[in-house]
Amino acid sequence: FAGQMVGAITARQLRQSEAHNAAITERSRLARELHDSVSQQLFASSLMARSAQQLLATDPVAAAVPLAHTLECTDGALTEMRALIFELRPESLEEEGLLAAFRKQAAALCSRHRIDVHTEFGIAEPELPLRTKEALYRIGMEAVQNTIKHARAVHIVIRLRMEGGRHVLEITDDGVGFDASAKFPGHLGLKTMRERITQFGGDVAISSAPGKGTTVRAIV
């Protein structure tokens, strides 16, 4: 019995350590996103606004061009900031819903990475517990981030539909693909996805091949 207790405590400590490390990794990623996207767009907006200010005295008509770019940059920064805040406060899933979360992220990713991200939902807002929605949201975002980092894709599609009474989240890209049966030491993405969803009786599967793109399916 004592041996079982030690094993249970050790397993719990490992889970807590993994959760802590995952939180640190997520905060670091969000900090990089703030620097690489929002701060860069605000800096560009500042330069454009100064250019427009100088032109107003000499050529007011020409000032319209940098002003238009300023509006474009600030709109993009606002969209991305809202998306990042949503990631920091996933409890807002309860208020805005899972579909709204994916739509916001799709818009932000299009602006941030100049990649075509579509959402296709075959159902209305799913009637799922908040924790299940959060798990699906995190899985979807992890899959999309992996695509952006590794796949060199042009198009990403986020789908959510019902299939045989089960909710199916599918993230598909047209990237370079990879051998899904191979092992990648140090890359825990699929393991983390499975851990997120198995507690709700679900599973995650990846299908891919070199040159054939990748599809991540989470079923719950």
Side-chain angles (χ1 to χ4, degrees):
F1 177 73
Q4 290 176 348
M5 287 295 294
V6 170
I9 291 170
T10 301
R12 181 181 179 184
Q13 289 173 337
L14 285 172
R15 286 196 299 271
Q16 289 175 338
S17 177
E18 288 177 356
H20 178 68
N21 290 336
I24 291 174
T25 301
E26 184 69 7
R27 284 197 293 269
S28 298
R29 184 185 69 80
L30 290 172
R32 287 195 304 272
E33 293 286 0
L34 277 170
H35 176 268
D36 295 341
S37 58
V38 178
S39 65
Q40 296 294 334
Q41 291 199 20
L42 291 176
F43 178 69
S45 298
S46 176
L47 292 178
M48 292 293 179
R50 286 193 176 91
S51 176
Q53 187 179 42
Q54 293 170 358
L55 285 170
L56 282 173
T58 58
D59 192 348
V61 176
V65 175
L67 281 175
H69 286 307
T70 301
L71 286 173
E72 183 181 345
C73 287
T74 52
D75 286 345
L78 183 60
T79 299
E80 293 194 34
M81 182 61 75
R82 284 172 175 165
L84 290 171
I85 290 171
F86 199 100
E87 288 193 50
L88 288 169
R89 297 179 59 251
E91 66 270 15
S92 57
L93 280 168
E94 188 173 19
E95 302 168 7
E96 301 188 46
L98 182 62
L99 305 189
F102 280 134
R103 288 190 181 104
K104 280 188 175 184
Q105 285 299 326
L109 291 165
C110 285
S111 171
R112 186 184 308 157
H113 299 286
R114 298 294 187 266
I115 188 170
D116 186 25
V117 185
H118 282 296
T119 56
E120 295 179 5
F121 303 132
I123 56 173
E125 181 64 27
E127 295 183 6
L128 291 169
L130 179 60
R131 290 181 65 237
T132 309
K133 288 184 179 182
E134 184 177 344
L136 286 172
Y137 175 74
R138 296 296 189 192
I139 289 169
M141 287 303 97
E142 177 140 13
V144 169
Q145 291 296 333
N146 284 340
T147 293
I148 291 170
K149 285 190 291 186
H150 305 297
R152 301 199 295 276
V154 177
H155 304 285
I156 301 175
V157 182
I158 303 172
R159 298 184 178 92
L160 185 64
R161 62 179 183 274
M162 293 296 293
E163 212 175 81
R166 300 179 299 175
H167 291 83
V168 179
L169 173 66
E170 195 172 84
I171 297 88
T172 303
D173 70 62
D174 61 352
V176 296
F178 63 99
D179 181 1
S181 64
K183 293 183 178 180
F184 300 92
H187 295 273
L188 304 178
L190 180 57
K191 180 175 181 287
T192 304
M193 291 179 194
R194 283 203 173 116
E195 287 175 350
R196 289 189 192 279
I197 206 70
T198 51
Q199 60 184 311
F200 305 108
D203 197 11
V204 174
I206 292 181
S207 59
S208 184
K212 300 293 184 181
T214 301
T215 297
V216 176
R217 281 167 54 93
I219 302 172
V220 64

